[in-house]
Amino acid sequence: MNQSKAFKYLCMSGLLIASKLVLAGEINVIVTDLSGNPLQDAVVYAEPANKQATTAPSAASIEQKGRKFIPLVTVVQTGASVSFPNNDTVRHHVYSFSPAKTFELKLYSGVPAAPVIFDKSGIAVLGCNIHDQMIAYVNIVDTPYFTKTDVNGKAKLADLPNGSYQLKTWHYAVSKENYTDTQTISVKGAEQAAVKLDIQANALIMTK
Ligand SMILES: [Cu+2]
């Protein structure tokens, strides 16, 4: 390779690296109630306008401990398998009657042999037949770009290819059942979004 060719080669690889950096967009989201109080455990996800090559869904786990489901809210991509390890000394009987996923894990201790596959998008509400106070939510989404808000109501969707997205936000305490806030957002770099949800304050569950 002569000098000018080597220079061209260097320039091209530099451009490749630069274009990769530019392509990695993100959305920083803050979710509050109508009075501006931050909402923890809101599910935030971005659906690309142009469907990307599908990414295999990651598995998840919802533990039972202290007669609670941990975590309270889980978000998975459609097709994900979820295991339900029982780490209590009492037995649990986990079920969901939700159309998004109807299933039952009859009275068991330890880890059930087979995980549950959440093969349809939507929201599944989980309960336990023995312990009425036990509740958990699984939001099944058709995109690999999803997360949950932290205690400050903040969430970051990172590594998004540039383009147009439907940014969707859901919270289990929202007044209108299964309401999902939707806004269109164009991702070119580090984007910001604010979402206000009409929630029932008395429906908030303390996880700490
Ligand atoms: Cu139970």
Side-chain angles (χ1 to χ4, degrees):
M1 201 182 299
N2 66 31
Q3 235 179 352
S4 107
K5 260 194 184 158
F7 179 71
K8 264 189 193 159
Y9 178 76
L10 272 175
C11 287
M12 276 177 63
S13 43
L15 276 175
L16 277 176
I17 292 165
S19 63
K20 260 193 182 159
L21 286 176
V22 171
L23 282 175
E26 63 183 45
I27 311 174
N28 297 285
V29 188
I30 177 142
V31 183
T32 63
D33 65 14
L34 296 182
S35 315
N37 302 306
L39 284 175
Q40 187 178 6
D41 280 327
V43 169
V44 176
Y45 55 105
E47 293 176 341
N50 302 313
K51 288 259 181 233
Q52 316 286 316
T54 44
T55 317
S58 304
S61 172
I62 301 172
E63 175 190 27
Q64 296 113 66
K65 188 139 200 223
R67 300 182 189 197
K68 275 184 184 176
F69 287 111
I70 303 169
L72 170 66
V73 177
T74 298
V75 51
V76 293
Q77 193 182 338
T78 308
S81 67
V82 179
S83 62
F84 288 89
N86 177 359
N87 293 319
D88 274 329
T89 48
V90 294
R91 293 194 291 171
H92 294 295
H93 185 137
V94 178
Y95 70 87
S96 160
F97 295 133
S98 303
K101 186 68 197 178
T102 305
F103 72 97
E104 190 173 23
L105 297 170
K106 292 194 175 147
L107 212 56
Y108 69 97
S109 46
V111 183
V116 177
I117 310 293
F118 288 78
D119 44 11
K120 207 159 76 179
S121 61
I123 294 151
V125 184
L126 313 185
C128 171
N129 254 348
I130 315 299
H131 308 102
D132 281 344
Q133 82 282 5
M134 287 177 69
I135 190 161
Y137 302 88
V138 183
N139 196 328
I140 307 111
V141 299
D142 285 327
T143 171
Y145 311 115
F146 57 79
T147 187
K148 290 192 300 184
T149 53
D150 64 14
V151 70
N152 299 312
K154 289 183 176 168
K156 182 200 281 264
L157 294 163
D159 299 323
L160 300 180
N162 284 354
S164 180
Y165 290 83
Q166 295 286 322
L167 177 68
K168 297 194 173 181
T169 307
W170 169 86
H171 193 280
Y172 67 86
V174 80
S175 303
K176 206 166 133 196
E177 202 187 349
N178 290 355
Y179 171 79
T180 299
D181 178 90
T182 303
Q183 43 185 280
T184 303
I185 187 162
S186 170
V187 173
K188 295 181 209 80
E191 313 297 340
Q192 313 291 326
V195 179
K196 276 188 187 291
L197 295 177
D198 184 7
I199 61 128
Q200 297 172 295
N202 62 3
L204 288 174
I205 299 166
M206 293 302 136
T207 47
K208 288 275 148 39

